[in-house]
């Protein structure tokens, strides 16, 4: 599917990838009840208990492993605490390194690496976001393939070669991509929102970097960042698949032994809320004004996580029946989509609302949004709304763990954000336990419009506030 | 890798996916010589002869199959002659149908379909471009999985349910995506280029459609388009994998028996060259001006294909040493990337050049481009350049067929564009046989600057033609 995937962060994506920006999921999450197709395969998703095995390799890497024998495949993910938050004064560095992964080893080019994996029926990828950098592998577990694939993967991921010519090509693509991206009002709004809300803290910049920084970057910088952050003490390794624990242990030892031992990245400095609300407008000749508004939310380990998840879902989550969608889209047609979301991270991530609207409706849309939030914080959802949302979240939960890959994502988030060992089993109960009072209280404490950043990118028009249509 | 992939169309992508727009590949294609990693796996790409089995199913679908036992997987692609060129007066219809595929069946939702395949270790996708619409499957060949997967895939791909709510969601995403896309100068340039060059012919519109058309679209339109074009006589089915021919035949019979019999789509009307060159400028407040220039190229079955491939590669193909890159990027720094490419299709596709440059360098960049082309058409490449390019193309050819998936893509293109049965084996010889005279002659006949469309999207600045720097 190649249509533009819109970042509607549902509870499922918040759960599996707390670093939500790049990992948003789309679409309704519904119950497994009707699922009849694989009745003859005995492949029902195993819900609980999750038998998560944990250990630490000799090199010092934390490992989580779930055995899943249904399909003869292994999924493996290595998470490094090496996202854009580590860029320091070189915005785009983590991102560029991630793009340089699997571009070459001493003996192979990028095309050869890709062809090698493809011929062995294996897939690999690298990616990064503000908090994390990932390398991933999916392989058949038949030893005829797996052992060679793992050898290749270990080599390619731990002994990469950052050749000048590959660097030039990758950087060139990034520059073109960044220039094109920055010509869109949406990207400008994103850039302004994060830079205003986070000032000089590590989340202030675009993970994709900026032009001067990319232009000055050298392969030696990539090399240094790799040596500093892609190490055994700064990594978490997760595996889900049809191997036994002994094999999983052996794989984890081999892989992490190839990494430099290194040291874990230090904790990120946190960001204080702004002293007062700030409005930032960028005059941009687009038909639609892009709006991003919001403030600091929570860190991933905040105990308000469940109440906020439910509250956010009702206020502006994925469904068509959210308060914001009802008022902004359905009743007034201001925007095709409006969504609110948390991005809980290592340091305090944002809680924000995004929409686009016709330039002349910008002020009206902002006003309605504030009114909806005011009403929500005052009245809160109804008991029926609360129950419906909890049912939907809990009912859809099994499907969010229906595949090895989704379990892998959850394990990685659990490991990276230090969630409790029973997080997966506990999740539905924790959601079910959320009360109306908790939702109202948590939302009131965390949704603080008086310290918000409101970014508008579009054309200023005469402010004729369109009257709300019933 | 999630950086923006730039559409540098190399010969390899032209070869495997003649409908190049959406299928561009990136990066150097190099020889297999150094590939040492899988020496113990007996997985060398089998180059020749390709034992392509062909048959027609009872339902009337042409099938191509290559047995590849190296990995216990099967790749399958169904190509429908149902791309955006069939949109008629509803731009975006083929695209929307493609996005609606795998969104549901009578009994399953999109999320359930996705979870079902994932749990069985299978992958599916749908996509579309101007000429083609594809549905694809990769499955393990162990009958324990494959039979159930094929049953699911056949059901999901041939009996889709286009529910109103899914349609609303998909269309909504498309609208948001289209609006965002059209705010970028690059997309505006693309839209203007195709609409100007193709006037009222089937390639005139954006495959993504336009806002009014999307807004008026109904699930019934999707349903009608599906019934009309996703049928056995309008499809080609290709398979590569570890099954025997009997199994392949049985799979093809089962799948195509589930399709309506239908009729093949009629040939597309062709487009005449413009009477004279046309310049189209869109004033757009971007720092960079996006330039697309070019005219009609060739249909996929044109015998000049080989000479033009080589000629285009030298003039403006992927490498850093192309004439255009040398003059535009290396010598003058006008653009981070400049590329020329053919998009040979069912009807005559374009030959075009794309670049972005600082607004005040636009005229200079256009002038240099014309000068380079003039020089190329007059002098042609040197014998050394020709040989080097042919060596590079022929040397890299094995790698472009190194995986089952790439073979699949080539088979699909062969079937769809009616290429000769020995196309794959013949390709390196055909490239090797291209002479200097043929390159010059073919380029001269097909690269006709006097009937070109030149689209510039950016800010007009005082025309101080930057003098070329040595």
């Amino acid at each position: 599917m190649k249509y533009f995937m819109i970042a509607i962060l549902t509870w499922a994506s918040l759960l599996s990838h707390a670093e939500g920006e790049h990992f948003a999921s789309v679409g309704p999450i519904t119950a497994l009840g009707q699922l009849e197709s694989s009745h003859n395969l005995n492949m029902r998703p195993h819900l609980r208990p999750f038998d998560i095995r944990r250990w630490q390799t000799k090199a010092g890497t934390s490992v989580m492993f779930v055995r899943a024998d249904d399909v003869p495949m292994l999924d493996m993910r290595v998470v490094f605490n090496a996202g854009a938050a580590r860029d320091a004064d070189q915005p785009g560095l983590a991102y560029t390194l991630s793009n340089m992964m699997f571009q070459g080893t001493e003996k192979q080019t990028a095309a050869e690496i890709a062809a090698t994996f493809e011929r062995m029926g294996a897939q690999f990828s690298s990616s990064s976001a503000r908090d994390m950098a990932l390398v991933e592998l999916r392989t058949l577990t038949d030893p005829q393939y797996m052992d060679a694939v793992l050898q290749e993967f270990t080599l390619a991921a731990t002994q990469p070669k950052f050749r000048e010519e590959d660097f030039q090509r990758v950087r060139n693509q990034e520059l073109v991509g960044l220039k094109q991206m920055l010509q869109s009002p949406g990207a400008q709004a994103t850039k302004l929102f994060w830079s205003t809300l986070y000032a000089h803290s590590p989340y202030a910049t675009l993970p994709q970097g900026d032009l001067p920084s990319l232009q000055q970057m050298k392969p030696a910088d990539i090399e240094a960042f790799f040596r500093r952050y892609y190490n055994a003490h700064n990594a978490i390794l997760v595996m889900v698949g049809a191997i036994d624990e002994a094999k999983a242990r052996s794989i984890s030892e081999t892989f992490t032994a190839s990494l430099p031992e290194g040291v874990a990245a230090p904790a990120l400095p946190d960001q204080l809320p702004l002293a007062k609300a700030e409005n930032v407008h960028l005059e941009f000749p687009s038909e639609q004004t892009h709006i991003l508004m919001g403030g600091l939310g929570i860190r991933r380990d905040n105990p308000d996580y469940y109440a906020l998840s439910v509250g956010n879902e009702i206020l502006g989550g994925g469904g068509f029946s959210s308060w914001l969608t009802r008022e902004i889209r359905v009743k007034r047609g201001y925007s095709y989509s409006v969504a609110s979301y948390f991005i809980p991270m290592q340091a305090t991530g944002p809680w924000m609302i995004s929409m686009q609207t016709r330039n002349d409706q910008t002020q009206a849309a902002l006003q309605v949004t504030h009114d909806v939030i005011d009403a929500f914080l005052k009245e809160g959802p109804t008991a029926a709304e609360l129950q419906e949302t909890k049912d939907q979240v809990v009912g859809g939960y099994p499907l969010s763990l229906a595949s090895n890959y989704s379990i892998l994502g959850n394990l990685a988030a659990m490991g990276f954000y230090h969630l409790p060992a029973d997080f997966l089993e506990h999740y539905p109960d924790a959601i079910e336990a959320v009360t109306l009072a908790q939702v109202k209280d948590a939302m009131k404490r965390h949704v603080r419009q008086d310290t918000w950043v409101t970014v508008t990118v579009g054309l200023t028009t005469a402010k004729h506030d369109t009257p709300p249509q019933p």
Side-chain angles (χ1 to χ4, degrees), chain A:
Chain A
M1 313 284 157
K2 63 197 160 26
Y3 55 85
F4 184 74
M5 301 283 271
I6 305 155
I8 300 173
L9 292 188
T10 65
W11 62 272
S13 61
L14 282 176
L15 169 66
S16 22
H17 303 289
E19 247 282 24
E21 305 151 85
H22 295 294
F23 303 112
S25 77
V26 167
I29 304 292
T30 50
L32 272 182
Q34 309 143 311
L35 194 60
E36 298 183 351
S37 52
S38 56
H39 58 274
N40 56 342
L41 283 172
N42 192 24
M43 278 184 193
R44 292 277 175 210
H46 42 184
L47 248 194
R48 66 182 60 158
F50 274 92
D51 186 9
I52 304 174
R53 303 300 172 98
R54 295 168 176 256
W55 62 86
Q56 202 169 47
T57 67
K58 290 199 189 87
T61 305
S62 291
V63 182
M64 297 168 84
F65 166 64
V66 168
R67 179 169 182 163
D69 282 333
D70 291 335
V71 184
M73 289 179 176
L74 170 68
D75 284 297
M76 172 171 165
R77 175 184 289 183
V78 189
V79 185
F80 297 101
N81 192 341
R86 308 293 170 182
D87 279 350
D89 55 353
Q90 291 187 286
L93 188 53
Y95 177 74
T96 306
L97 168 54
S98 181
N99 290 336
M100 285 294 293
M101 293 298 290
F102 303 109
Q103 291 295 315
T105 59
E106 196 62 53
K107 292 191 171 169
Q108 288 194 308
T109 65
E112 288 163 353
I113 290 174
T116 302
F117 280 95
E118 175 70 24
R119 275 208 310 287
M120 298 193 278
Q123 296 169 330
F124 64 91
S125 70
S126 62
S127 57
S128 69
R130 279 196 166 79
D131 271 358
M132 307 176 182
L134 314 178
V135 293
E136 288 188 335
L137 175 70
R138 168 172 288 187
T139 177
L140 298 167
T141 45
D142 183 333
Q144 188 192 349
Y145 309 102
M146 184 169 66
D147 293 342
V149 166
L150 283 165
Q151 200 181 326
E152 287 288 326
F153 181 72
T154 302
L155 184 68
T158 68
Q159 320 292 324
K161 181 94 179 161
F162 306 114
R163 287 192 188 82
E164 177 72 31
E165 70 213 66
D166 296 324
F167 174 74
Q168 292 295 344
R169 180 170 41 78
V170 164
R171 195 244 310 262
N172 199 37
Q173 289 162 347
E174 290 180 349
L175 284 168
V176 173
L178 184 62
K179 287 197 175 204
Q180 291 189 339
M181 190 182 120
L182 291 179
Q183 285 167 349
S184 86
Q188 288 289 354
T190 300
K191 189 180 167 201
L192 283 171
F193 181 82
W194 289 83
S195 63
T196 309
L197 183 61
Y198 285 98
H200 302 292
S201 91
Y203 295 152
T205 54
L206 282 181
Q208 292 87 347
D210 58 38
L211 297 179
S213 172
L214 288 179
Q215 277 155 345
Q216 284 156 32
M217 211 171 276
K218 304 261 173 300
D221 301 323
I222 305 296
E223 183 86 31
F225 193 90
F226 177 81
R227 300 254 158 261
R228 168 67 189 88
Y229 291 110
Y230 281 49
N231 68 57
H233 280 122
N234 203 38
I236 288 160
L237 196 164
V238 290
M239 285 175 281
V240 178
I243 55 175
D244 62 22
E245 184 176 327
K247 182 71 188 174
R249 282 180 177 267
S250 141
I251 290 171
S252 70
E253 288 298 340
T254 306
F255 186 90
T256 60
S258 299
L259 290 171
E261 192 173 314
V263 292
L268 294 174
D270 218 328
Q271 173 72 29
L272 292 176
L274 300 183
K276 58 178 183 55
E278 284 199 33
N279 299 320
V280 183
H281 175 76
L282 175 66
E283 195 66 13
F284 199 96
S286 47
E287 275 181 37
Q288 299 266 312
T289 293
H290 283 247
I291 301 174
L292 279 182
M293 54 202 297
L296 292 182
I298 54 171
R299 292 201 330 209
R300 186 59 185 80
D301 54 6
N302 193 303
D304 291 327
Y305 177 76
Y306 300 100
L308 289 174
S309 294
V310 173
N312 177 67
E313 187 70 17
I314 301 171
L315 175 59
F320 267 117
S321 60
S322 80
W323 286 38
L324 283 171
T325 296
R326 227 161 48 205
E327 299 298 322
I328 299 280
R329 178 189 150 94
V330 179
K331 282 198 195 156
R332 296 180 183 81
Y334 285 164
S335 183
Y336 280 111
S337 86
V338 53
S340 67
Y341 40 98
F342 291 92
I343 307 179
M345 297 199 282
Q346 293 188 95
T348 302
W351 186 83
M352 59 202 293
I353 294 171
S354 86
M355 73 183 106
Q356 299 122 55
T357 192
R358 234 172 52 209
N359 290 322
D360 63 355
Q361 294 173 336
T362 304
Q363 295 308 318
L366 289 174
Q367 187 56 54
V368 171
T369 302
H370 283 296
D371 291 348
V372 170
I373 294 170
D374 288 341
F376 190 92
L377 295 182
K378 196 172 157 214
E379 304 158 23
T382 66
E385 278 179 319
L386 178 70
Q387 194 54 54
E388 194 185 325
T389 299
K390 293 199 298 192
D391 288 351
Q392 182 196 328
V393 170
V394 172
Y397 185 62
L399 196 55
S400 79
L401 293 169
S403 76
N404 292 353
Y405 191 73
S406 57
I407 296 169
L408 189 82
N410 281 288
L411 293 186
M414 286 170 64
F416 192 78
Y417 292 113
H418 308 291
L419 306 183
D422 66 346
F423 175 79
L424 292 179
E425 292 88 340
H426 181 61
Y427 184 84
D429 296 337
I431 292 289
E432 197 53 71
V434 169
T435 65
L436 269 183
Q438 285 171 345
V439 168
K440 284 179 71 170
D441 172 61
M443 292 291 279
K444 207 169 283 177
R445 279 185 290 109
H446 292 288
V447 176
R448 298 288 302 274
Q449 298 171 84
D450 55 333
T451 61
W452 269 17
V453 171
T454 301
V455 172
T456 48
V457 178
L459 274 184
T460 314
T461 60
K463 290 185 190 175
H464 61 90
D465 275 67
T466 312
Q469 291 141 25

